[in-house]
């Protein structure tokens, strides 16, 4: 009365059972693949070179419509982008009311003075020991590393977590940065 009786199934039923489990696994793998592909489309890294690519990168950032933070900017940026390009770029950015904060190398006082006169723009500098030949640009979920070489190299990273991290670093540097004062002028 307290016994359980078992009857063995036909051995060919084992194959049927495994086939059914394989179909279930295929459905799960397809769902995981779709999820993985969707996430990877939002996360990309690209490398481009040259003045034209650098200009296009700046216009792509404008199209995001988010504030733009830059650190490690050099006064040579104006030369690298070409005469008049940055002035036109800043006009377009200001018309769209997109804020841009710059942290320049220590020797860029005249560039900082010029930028601080523009609408929706603020610029500061760090001391010489923090000078860089790589500008980091953060806009929305994008981080761009602009390497001032010949030709200029542009590494673009689209990843929200990385952009958030770079923005936190930017805020630390912004708190440390100052607007340089011309020490040759007397009050």
């Amino acid at each position: 009365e307290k016994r359980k009786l078992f009857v063995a199934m036909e051995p060919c039923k084992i194959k049927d059972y495994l086939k059914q489990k394989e179909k279930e696994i295929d459905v799960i793998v397809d769902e995981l693949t779709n999820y993985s592909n969707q996430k990877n489309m939002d996360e990309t890294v690209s490398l481009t070179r040259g003045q034209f690519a650098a200009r296009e990168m700046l216009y792509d950032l404008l199209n995001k419509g988010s504030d733009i933070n830059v650190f490690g900017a050099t006064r040579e940026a104006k030369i690298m982008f070409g005469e008049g390009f940055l002035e036109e770029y800043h006009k377009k950015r200001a018309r769209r009311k997109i804020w841009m904060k710059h942290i320049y190398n220590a020797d860029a006082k005249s560039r900082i003075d010029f930028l601080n006169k523009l609408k929706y723009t603020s610029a500061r500098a760090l001391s010489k020991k923090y000078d860089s030949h790589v500008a980091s640009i953060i806009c929305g979920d994008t981080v761009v590393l602009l390497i001032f070489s010949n030709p200029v190299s542009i590494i673009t990273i689209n990843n929200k977590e990385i952009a958030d991290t770079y923005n936190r670093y930017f805020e630390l540097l912004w708190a440390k940065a100052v607007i340089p004062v011309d020490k040759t002028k007397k009050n």
Side-chain angles (χ1 to χ4, degrees):
E1 296 176 17
K2 292 185 178 182
R3 293 185 209 175
K4 294 182 180 179
L5 295 174
F6 296 92
V7 177
M9 292 176 69
E10 299 171 28
C12 67
K13 297 286 184 183
I14 293 173
K15 285 184 176 180
D16 293 339
Y17 173 79
L18 291 176
K19 286 179 184 176
Q20 180 60 34
K21 289 298 177 187
E22 185 177 3
K23 288 179 183 176
E24 292 172 9
I25 290 173
D26 286 345
V27 169
I28 293 170
V29 168
D30 287 344
E31 289 175 7
L32 290 173
T33 301
N34 287 338
Y35 174 76
S36 176
N37 287 342
Q38 288 174 354
K39 186 173 182 179
N40 289 339
M41 287 172 38
D42 295 338
E43 299 176 350
T44 60
V45 176
S46 64
L47 170 66
T48 54
R49 294 182 195 274
Q51 182 186 53
F52 179 77
R55 289 176 175 183
E56 287 302 305
M57 171 273 302
L58 284 180
Y59 282 130
D60 288 345
L61 295 180
L62 274 188
N63 292 332
K64 290 183 174 292
S66 298
D67 292 349
I68 302 169
N69 294 328
V70 181
F71 63 90
T74 70
R75 66 182 179 170
E76 288 82 19
K78 184 176 178 182
I79 298 165
M80 187 276 304
F81 279 104
E83 192 63 37
F85 172 81
L86 287 177
E87 285 76 7
E88 185 62 31
Y89 174 80
H90 286 299
K91 286 177 187 176
K92 288 180 180 182
R93 181 184 54 76
R95 279 194 297 268
R96 294 181 185 190
K97 298 181 180 180
I98 297 173
W99 266 97
M100 189 168 189
K101 291 182 180 177
H102 305 78
I103 302 174
Y104 267 84
N105 287 345
D107 63 353
K109 183 184 176 342
S110 63
R111 184 74 184 151
I112 292 168
D113 289 343
F114 169 79
L115 290 170
N116 281 328
K117 293 174 186 170
L118 301 178
K119 290 182 179 180
Y120 303 100
T121 309
S122 188
R124 298 179 182 178
L126 288 170
S127 68
K128 184 138 182 77
K129 74 178 183 176
Y130 298 108
D131 279 2
S132 174
H133 294 288
V134 178
S136 300
I137 306 167
I138 310 108
C139 179
D141 61 354
T142 301
V143 174
V144 177
L145 304 176
L146 192 62
I147 304 159
F148 292 97
S149 55
N150 192 8
V152 62
S153 296
I154 305 104
I155 300 171
T156 304
I157 305 166
N158 290 305
N159 179 289
K160 182 171 176 22
E161 291 82 16
I162 292 173
D164 290 346
T165 300
Y166 267 76
N167 264 323
R168 287 192 298 272
Y169 291 146
F170 177 86
E171 292 303 324
L172 282 171
L173 294 172
W174 186 256
K176 190 172 184 72
V178 298
I179 298 173
V181 176
D182 189 351
K183 295 177 182 177
T184 60
K185 291 183 179 177
K186 294 184 180 182
N187 292 338

